[in-house]
Amino acid sequence: MAQARDMARRDEGYAREQDAGDALAWCRELFHVPPAPGGGPSVYLTGNSLGLQPKATRAAVEAELEDWARLGVGAHLHGRHPWLPAHESVREPLARLVGALPHEVVAMNSLTVNLHLLMVSFYRPTEARHRIVIEDSAFPSDSYAVASQAAFHGFDPREAVVRLGPRDGEATLRTEDIEGYLAREGRSVALVLLGGVNYLSGQWFEMERITAAAREQGCMVGWDLAHAAGNVTLRLHEWGVDFAAWCSYKYLNSGPGAVAGAFVHERHTRGAAEGQGSKAGGDAGALPRFAGWWGNDPATRFRMGSEFVPVASADAWQLSNPPILALAPLRASLEVFDRVGMASLRAKSERLTAYMESLLEARLGGRVRVLTPRDRGQRGAQLSLVVPGVSRDVERRLHERGVVVDFREPDVIRAAPVPLYCTFQDVWRFVEALAAILGVEGGTGGLGR
Ligand SMILES: Cc1ncc(COP(=O)(O)O)c(C=O)c1O
């Protein structure tokens, strides 16, 4: 009763009360919030595109520059964060973030590069089983990556790449339709590669169910977690996912072009050191991969031999020594996630996004269509909106008012209240600004979806 009365309140005072009672309010102080054109902090709802800079980042990068100046090559062993095992310093926090065992994750490269490196190992097409299933609204880079992989193996991408779309009149893909496709055609599918949270619609796929359905048909299952890592709760190990990759510049706040992450389930790396290509079955000994010296067992890496001995972990997919200046922001950012914990972040995120949805419904019902699923279990922080006819113009006019959202072709506005640094008042200001732009004084009625 009290909750229903609260939800019906649409005034700024209600938003302020929620912020005052927010146990995570202190987190916002850890970040630089860009100023709005008219002064004061902007309403930053694009952490799904580029997360904000943690205040600790600058010192973390400067420490590496100082160690380089002070120690030169000696910083490999004697730096404050010795460079030699630098990627290992982010291993455990990354594993916690995606629900993996520590030896199942590695920080390296960038996202599309990692997808390719992992597909070298996990897309092993045969004549009978060579299809790759993606979502029709997959991020373009993923579309290009899978098409080029199919072509590389001599298949026609127009036939090999299967793009699953929503039913007519619907905005998101139903889990049962993915399962249905796999039950019918799964034996021709070599790889299912979906975005954990779709970049355009904000739909969080039912990853556990889809992974199980694909594996039952003998398909490999990979996830692009660009919009999922640091946003939703992930249990990659438990769900039996074969591989995953993500970038770190969105919800992980590690800066433009930040070092990405990769996950390989441990069942694929057991026995890795026993030699590549020598065994049948599901272990790393049998998996082909592109190799480089940083994927070699560290125990023998510096013997400088010519024979590659893969380390029995996700590290085996590393090629080069890690970019130290780029790893520093990732380490600084992951410390924030460890301090706060994904469970409390996710709980706040659900409340913020539900609040945004309820305000949009109350103030702009009928004028704005929300594409993102209503079910909290099928979305992360982001809501994707369509304002028929004027979406692009709305983005620009919101920016003028200090509200940062983004527009994606053909007509989608994405708004993500990120729980680490967004407030309930931010959400209120966004919806009020949108109402003002659309010339809406008051509002009732259901929200178009
Ligand atoms: C879902 C998704 N996949 C892939 C990419 C490409 O990432 P990168 O440029 O780091 O390879 C992006 C970038 O925004 C993305 O959102």
Side-chain angles (χ1 to χ4, degrees):
M1 185 76 171
Q3 203 181 359
R5 196 177 52 237
D6 271 4
M7 288 304 275
R9 277 185 61 194
R10 301 200 288 272
D11 55 313
E12 191 174 9
Y14 174 78
R16 284 181 194 270
E17 281 166 28
Q18 299 308 302
D19 289 328
D22 173 16
L24 299 187
W26 59 275
C27 299
R28 181 175 166 89
E29 289 308 312
L30 303 176
F31 291 88
H32 292 289
V33 181
S42 57
V43 173
Y44 193 82
L45 300 176
T46 41
N48 56 340
S49 178
L50 183 71
L52 290 183
Q53 184 187 132
K55 290 176 182 166
T57 299
R58 182 181 297 269
V61 176
E62 280 175 359
E64 302 300 354
L65 288 171
E66 283 160 14
D67 282 1
W68 180 20
R70 203 166 45 89
L71 300 167
V73 73
H76 280 296
L77 293 177
H78 306 299
R80 276 164 278 183
H81 301 281
W83 296 344
L84 207 57
H87 67 281
E88 290 171 17
S89 67
V90 291
R91 191 199 304 288
E92 299 221 348
L94 266 187
R96 282 191 279 279
L97 205 66
V98 297
L101 302 174
H103 59 275
E104 291 176 321
V105 296
V106 58
M108 60 181 190
N109 311 313
S110 47
L111 171 51
T112 310
V113 173
N114 287 345
L115 288 174
H116 273 301
L117 290 176
L118 291 163
M119 279 193 278
V120 164
S121 303
F122 292 99
Y123 178 54
R124 305 297 302 155
T126 61
E127 201 53 54
R129 188 193 272 277
H130 61 260
R131 289 186 172 148
I132 306 176
V133 171
I134 61 171
E135 76 263 42
D136 194 29
S137 60
F139 192 80
S141 202
D142 296 30
S143 293
Y144 309 153
V146 296
S148 63
Q149 285 280 340
F152 178 76
H153 286 280
F155 296 99
D156 178 353
R158 287 168 301 185
E159 180 274 328
V161 177
V162 177
R163 309 182 70 93
L164 297 184
R167 296 183 187 183
D168 281 349
E170 297 186 4
T172 53
L173 200 44
R174 294 193 192 195
T175 306
E176 65 260 34
D177 288 354
I178 301 173
E179 289 171 330
Y181 177 81
L182 291 171
R184 286 192 313 278
E185 305 288 343
R187 284 172 193 285
S188 68
V189 174
L191 172 65
V192 176
L193 180 65
L194 300 171
V197 174
N198 179 267
Y199 84 101
L200 191 62
S201 69
Q203 176 181 14
W204 179 15
F205 284 103
E206 293 186 274
M207 295 176 60
E208 185 175 11
R209 263 177 74 179
I210 295 166
T211 299
R215 290 190 63 208
E216 204 179 306
Q217 298 298 324
C219 319
M220 289 289 182
V221 191
W223 292 94
D224 173 341
L225 301 177
H227 289 262
N231 178 19
V232 293
T233 310
L234 298 167
R235 303 196 199 293
L236 299 183
H237 175 81
E238 193 183 309
W239 296 340
V241 167
D242 288 298
F243 72 93
W246 56 92
C247 59
S248 311
Y249 43 79
K250 299 177 186 295
Y251 295 95
L252 297 188
N253 309 315
S254 302
V259 180
F263 163 90
V264 177
H265 199 283
E266 68 165 355
R267 67 176 172 273
H268 297 297
T269 58
R270 281 188 213 117
E274 288 161 34
Q276 288 200 96
S278 59
K279 293 166 138 197
D283 67 359
L287 282 176
R289 79 167 73 69
F290 287 168
W293 73 318
W294 231 253
N296 196 87
D297 186 346
T300 57
R301 182 182 296 146
F302 291 99
R303 287 188 197 153
M304 308 313 248
S306 57
E307 197 189 334
F308 179 67
V309 182
V311 57
S313 73
D315 284 10
W317 277 262
Q318 285 185 117
L319 300 181
S320 302
N321 74 101
I324 299 303
L325 298 181
L327 271 179
L330 178 61
R331 196 177 53 242
S333 167
L334 291 175
E335 281 169 13
V336 175
F337 280 89
D338 266 348
R339 270 177 78 185
V340 183
M342 252 336 271
S344 45
L345 271 179
R346 177 65 182 150
K348 178 178 171 187
S349 178
E350 288 183 10
R351 286 180 57 223
L352 274 174
T353 302
Y355 177 56
M356 183 187 279
E357 183 180 45
S358 74
L359 275 186
L360 285 167
E361 184 160 5
R363 294 285 280 123
L364 295 166
R367 297 294 302 276
V368 170
R369 198 159 68 88
V370 175
L371 308 180
T372 314
R374 188 180 277 274
D375 175 359
R376 294 177 189 200
Q378 293 192 49
R379 71 183 185 200
Q382 172 184 328
L383 288 186
S384 301
L385 324 173
V386 174
V387 186
V390 292
S391 284
R392 185 189 280 282
D393 190 45
V394 162
E395 180 211 28
R396 183 184 55 76
R397 293 175 67 189
L398 282 170
H399 283 199
E400 285 167 6
R401 290 168 182 258
V403 178
V404 190
V405 295
D406 73 10
F407 172 83
R408 285 287 176 272
E409 295 288 355
D411 56 0
V412 176
I413 294 170
R414 306 185 304 172
V418 172
L420 271 175
Y421 45 74
C422 290
T423 63
F424 287 84
Q425 201 182 4
D426 282 342
V427 171
W428 183 86
R429 285 176 61 196
F430 160 60
V431 177
E432 283 307 302
L434 188 54
I437 288 166
L438 298 179
V440 174
E441 291 300 322
T444 51
L447 182 62
R449 297 194 84 84

